[in-house]
């Protein structure tokens, strides 16, 4: 009744109807319900705003006497009973509304995939977030943005993974097949995530502060103001990763020499962490043996440990000083000194603490 009154006071645009088949288990028997989905779209201008309002009413008519059907649909098929109001910019007459088959197709595909895998759907029924779990029970989210001509047009897919998400799609494809492809991608990256999970669990990771599943880099603490940055290849996670030792030269040079001399000892059959310790001839400090504060020295210029996402990674090479600095802080400090000189992006100057020679390189700003 309320919907009828609303429609009578609005600018009626269009009305569609389509039939959707839903299945339900009752008393051990699988029953099928043909639901007539009636989509009424209308727009109404408000006096207070130039925005139009699009309202989509979805009703159903069931042909079975079972009184539990309506309650079941409301709980398990909320897309059938949602009353949405979306504020739209501009003129509502120019809006591109998906045809009724779009909603029918979406409900059918979600029935095939399973509603338990749906984490989120936006008010326009275009953006979906689907959950997936890999063999190690890590939780992942696949974001799918459907086009108005779904399934003829391929959707846009994104996820927190370290490789391009290339999903095959044809007009016959479904969300279930898309989800299955995503599961294969997750399984192909299982070994990569196991490598990084071991590093996160057994060492002190300085950067990134909160690594995502797409991050391939870890900066691992070796000692006070000394660390190694490794970049693991997602396709070949057990191979020797790209590595960069960070710290004062008198500390880093011996470690770099060991890395170069022992590189031939790298064993792809062992873990990356075990191999790194073997070639560097060290034991990484772990949460079981050390406090993270031992490796969180503040910048000697701004007196903070974290500057946005950066941490101190420049160190005075004088063994009696060893003061750490943020790269940006040291760069700006040296540029301001009249005695400093600059060659391209490298600045040569004196340490703010001990006045010994110090250099810093800053990447050239993007044009």
């Amino acid at each position: 009744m309320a919907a009828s009154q609303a429609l009578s006071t609005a600018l009626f645009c269009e009305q569609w109807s389509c039939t959707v088949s839903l299945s339900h288990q009752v008393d051990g028997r699988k029953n099928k319900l043909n639901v007539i989905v009636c989509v009424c779209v209308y727009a109404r201008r408000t006096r207070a705003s130039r925005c139009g309002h699009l309202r989509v009413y979805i009703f159903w008519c069931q042909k079975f006497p079972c009184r539990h059907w309506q309650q079941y649909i409301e709980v398990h098929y909320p897309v059938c009973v949602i009353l949405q109001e979306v504020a739209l910019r501009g003129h509502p007459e120019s809006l591109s509304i998906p045809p009724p088959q779009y909603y029918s197709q979406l409900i059918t595909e979600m029935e095939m995939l399973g509603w338990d895998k749906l984490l989120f759907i936006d008010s326009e029924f275009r953006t979906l977030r689907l959950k997936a779990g890999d063999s190690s029970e890590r939780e992942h989210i696949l974001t799918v943005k459907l086009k108005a001509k779904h399934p003829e047009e391929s959707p846009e897919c994104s996820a927190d993974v370290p490789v391009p998400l290339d999903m095959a799609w044809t007009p016959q494809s479904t969300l279930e097949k898309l989800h299955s492809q995503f599961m294969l991608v997750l399984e192909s990256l299982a070994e990569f995530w196991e490598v990084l999970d071991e590093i996160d669990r057994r060492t002190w990771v300085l950067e990134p502060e909160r690594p995502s599943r797409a991050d391939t880099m870890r900066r691992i603490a070796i000692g006070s103001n000394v660390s190694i940055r490794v970049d693991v290849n997602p396709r070949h996670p057990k191979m020797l990763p790209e590595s960069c030792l960070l710290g004062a030269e008198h500390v880093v040079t011996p470690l770099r020499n060991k890395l170069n001399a022992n590189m031939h000892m790298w064993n792809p059959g062992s873990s990356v962490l075990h191999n790194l310790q073997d070639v560097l001839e060290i034991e990484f400090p772990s949460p079981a043996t050390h406090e993270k504060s031992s490796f969180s020295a503040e910048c000697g210029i701004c007196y903070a440990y974290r500057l946005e996402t950066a941490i101190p990674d420049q160190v005075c090479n004088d063994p009696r000083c060893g003061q750490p600095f943020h790269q940006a802080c040291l760069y700006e400090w040296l540029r301001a000194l009249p005695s400093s000189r600059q060659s391209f992006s490298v600045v040569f100057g004196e340490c703010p603490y001990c006045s010994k020679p110090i250099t810093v390189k800053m990447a050239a700003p993007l044009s």
Side-chain angles (χ1 to χ4, degrees):
M1 186 66 181
S4 301
Q5 293 175 350
L7 287 173
S8 64
T9 59
L11 173 62
F12 184 77
C13 291
E14 201 165 350
Q15 177 171 339
W16 309 312
S17 65
C18 56
T19 302
V20 181
S21 295
L22 308 175
S23 60
H24 177 43
Q25 193 112 356
V26 178
D27 299 329
R29 294 178 299 175
K30 194 170 185 180
N31 297 310
K32 187 164 273 189
L33 169 65
N34 289 324
V35 176
I36 299 177
V37 179
C38 205
V39 183
C40 300
V41 181
Y42 69 94
R44 174 170 51 191
R45 291 178 179 274
T46 61
R47 294 180 180 177
S49 171
R50 293 184 178 179
C51 304
H53 288 274
L54 173 69
R55 292 189 179 184
V56 180
Y57 283 95
I58 302 180
F59 307 94
W60 69 90
C61 174
Q62 50 142 326
K63 299 182 179 180
F64 293 90
C66 178
R67 61 183 178 181
H68 301 295
W69 274 113
Q70 181 171 340
Q71 181 181 0
Y72 176 78
I73 294 173
E74 290 176 354
V75 173
H76 295 277
Y77 300 94
V79 71
C80 293
V81 294
I82 289 177
L83 168 62
Q84 292 289 346
E85 180 170 333
V86 184
L88 299 167
R89 297 183 180 275
H91 299 285
E93 297 82 17
S94 62
L95 297 174
S96 175
I97 307 298
Q101 293 80 6
Y102 172 91
Y103 301 98
S104 173
Q105 179 75 16
L106 178 58
I107 296 171
T108 301
E109 290 186 29
M110 283 308 307
E111 171 76 4
M112 295 168 58
L113 174 63
W115 290 96
D116 59 310
K117 294 182 175 64
L118 180 64
L119 293 176
F120 167 83
I121 185 168
D122 71 345
S123 58
E124 296 179 355
F125 305 105
R126 294 288 186 91
T127 302
L128 296 82
R129 292 185 193 141
L130 308 176
K131 68 177 180 179
D134 61 23
S135 56
S136 298
E137 299 182 351
R138 304 181 191 90
E139 292 188 357
H140 306 269
I141 297 176
L142 174 65
T143 301
V144 182
K145 294 186 178 181
L146 302 176
K147 304 293 181 61
K149 295 182 180 179
H150 177 79
E152 282 73 20
E153 292 182 309
S154 60
E156 296 178 10
C157 299
S158 60
D160 203 9
V161 294
V163 295
L165 201 60
D166 298 324
M167 304 294 233
W169 184 269
T170 67
Q172 291 73 41
S173 297
T174 62
L175 291 175
E176 184 182 28
K177 292 181 179 179
L178 202 66
H179 191 271
S180 298
Q181 290 183 63
F182 183 55
M183 291 294 294
L184 293 176
V185 173
L186 298 182
E187 291 308 313
S188 71
L189 294 168
E191 191 175 46
F192 164 76
W193 283 318
E194 287 171 5
V195 167
L196 293 182
D197 284 349
E198 183 187 23
I199 293 175
D200 293 340
R201 187 173 61 253
R202 296 181 55 189
T203 69
W204 279 118
V205 174
L206 304 179
E207 292 181 292
E209 184 179 12
R210 296 180 181 86
S212 70
R213 290 297 177 190
D215 288 319
T216 61
M217 185 275 289
R218 294 294 189 273
R219 180 177 171 186
I220 308 170
I222 296 177
S224 179
N225 302 325
V226 186
S227 59
I228 183 171
R229 185 170 57 217
V230 297
D231 201 334
V232 180
N233 187 331
R235 298 303 188 191
H236 307 284
K238 290 293 188 73
M239 302 303 292
L240 176 66
E242 293 185 18
S243 306
C244 178
L245 287 155
L246 303 171
E249 279 300 317
H250 70 278
V251 179
V252 166
T253 299
L255 291 172
R256 188 180 294 119
N257 293 337
K258 290 178 182 178
L259 177 62
N260 293 331
N262 298 331
M263 202 174 294
H264 68 280
M265 297 170 52
W266 191 274
N267 179 15
S270 298
S271 71
V272 169
L273 187 60
H274 184 269
N275 275 312
L276 285 173
Q277 293 183 139
D278 282 352
V279 298
L280 293 172
E281 299 179 13
I282 61 170
E283 287 286 336
F284 286 109
S286 73
T289 59
H290 294 74
E291 294 291 333
K292 192 173 185 179
S293 57
S294 306
F295 318 108
S296 304
E298 296 175 348
C299 171
I301 295 175
C302 72
Y303 302 108
Y305 174 65
R306 195 168 293 279
L307 182 64
E308 295 181 349
T309 59
I311 64 175
D313 56 1
Q314 305 294 309
V315 182
C316 177
N317 288 325
D318 191 317
R320 294 167 296 180
C321 178
Q323 179 64 45
F325 306 97
H326 292 117
Q327 186 180 30
C329 293
L330 185 59
Y331 181 76
E332 294 299 329
W333 175 278
L334 295 181
R335 282 186 58 193
L337 295 179
S339 59
S340 300
R341 61 186 179 87
Q342 183 169 351
S343 176
F344 297 100
S345 60
V346 180
V347 181
F348 302 83
E350 296 178 351
C351 173
Y353 278 70
C354 68
S355 298
K356 296 295 181 180
I358 192 171
T359 63
V360 63
K361 181 179 180 180
M362 177 60 71
L366 295 175
S367 57

